[in-house]
Amino acid sequence: MINRVLTTLSIALYAFVVSYLVASVFDRNGIETNAMLNSVFILLTTMIIVIVTVILIAAINRFLVSRQRTDN
């Protein structure tokens, strides 16, 4: 139970950091981050990055677990 809570919190923290970084890139390039359309684009970009990262971590974990089973 505590493992799931920590996993959820770490993903939420990662999403917050990625969203902040994406918004800062928008701001640095002169795009207003307070416009509704740009905010939606920032959220979509953040969700895509987080989902891809979670999928990659799960795939790497699955690969390492299967490799550990074959080594024994």
Side-chain angles (χ1 to χ4, degrees), residues 1-26:
M1 176 71 179
I2 191 77
N3 192 19
R4 283 202 182 257
V5 171
L6 290 176
T7 302
T8 304
L9 287 176
S10 63
I11 291 173
L13 178 63
Y14 177 72
F16 174 75
V17 170
V18 168
S19 176
Y20 186 79
L21 292 174
V22 170
S24 70
V25 168
F26 271 57

Side-chain angles (χ1 to χ4, degrees), residues 16-44:
F16 174 75
V17 170
V18 168
S19 176
Y20 186 79
L21 292 174
V22 170
S24 70
V25 168
F26 271 57
D27 194 41
R28 188 176 344 149
N29 290 327
I31 301 171
E32 294 181 25
T33 56
N34 58 354
M36 184 61 127
L37 182 62
N38 292 337
S39 298
V40 169
F41 187 67
I42 290 171
L43 288 173
L44 288 175

